[in-house]
Amino acid sequence: MRSYYAHLATTASSPPGAISSRPTFRTSAIFPVMQKAGISSRILFMGYWILKRHIREMAAISTLRDLNGKILARQSFHITEAKTFRIELSEEMTRAGLDPSAPFEGSMEVEFFSTQNL
């Protein structure tokens, strides 16, 4: 099995600093979330772009929506190190003014932005 850095060397599409013909500065994901007795959603991710692409800083926005798509809460944060980040549904429900112990179903979107090609 190849090492992580050997893998990165073979998947690099262009030299550092080069502008590709179709650069990507944004990526996102959307997840179904639910809160019920004994069940709560948690989204975990790692700031791996810092390792993979040597990007020093990323911006992220998380958006909580109900089943109808109505935005209930939104927060932004910076990613400056390659560590694990966590978004707790119960905390987002509190931010939205909802009871975190009440049943809830909806979605959580997480968007990532960079000034360098991802």
Side-chain angles (χ1 to χ4, degrees):
M1 181 173 202
R2 293 186 302 177
S3 73
Y4 174 73
Y5 291 103
H7 167 73
L8 291 180
T10 61
T11 58
S13 59
S14 60
I19 297 176
S20 68
S21 60
R22 296 178 58 169
T24 302
F25 299 107
R26 177 188 174 275
T27 188
S28 65
I30 191 163
F31 304 95
V33 292
M34 73 170 52
Q35 177 91 5
K36 295 182 179 180
I39 299 173
S40 182
S41 296
R42 171 185 295 158
I43 297 173
L44 300 167
F45 62 92
M46 182 179 147
Y48 77 98
W49 298 279
I50 292 168
L51 296 174
K52 179 181 177 186
R53 305 291 278 166
H54 304 288
I55 295 174
R56 294 182 185 195
E57 181 180 32
M58 299 280 296
I61 298 175
S62 66
T63 305
L64 177 65
R65 292 186 172 90
D66 64 12
L67 284 175
N68 297 320
K70 179 183 173 189
I71 295 174
L72 302 175
R74 182 175 274 161
Q75 73 168 335
S76 64
F77 48 96
H78 293 282
I79 300 169
T80 57
E81 54 187 314
K83 67 176 191 175
T84 302
F85 294 85
R86 180 180 74 207
I87 301 172
E88 294 282 349
L89 176 58
S90 59
E91 292 173 8
E92 296 302 308
M93 289 176 66
T94 300
R95 184 176 282 109
L98 302 172
D99 178 7
S101 62
F104 177 83
E105 289 185 44
S107 65
M108 177 73 67
E109 180 181 17
V110 186
E111 302 171 272
F112 301 94
F113 302 90
S114 173
T115 58
Q116 299 177 34
N117 188 11
L118 296 173

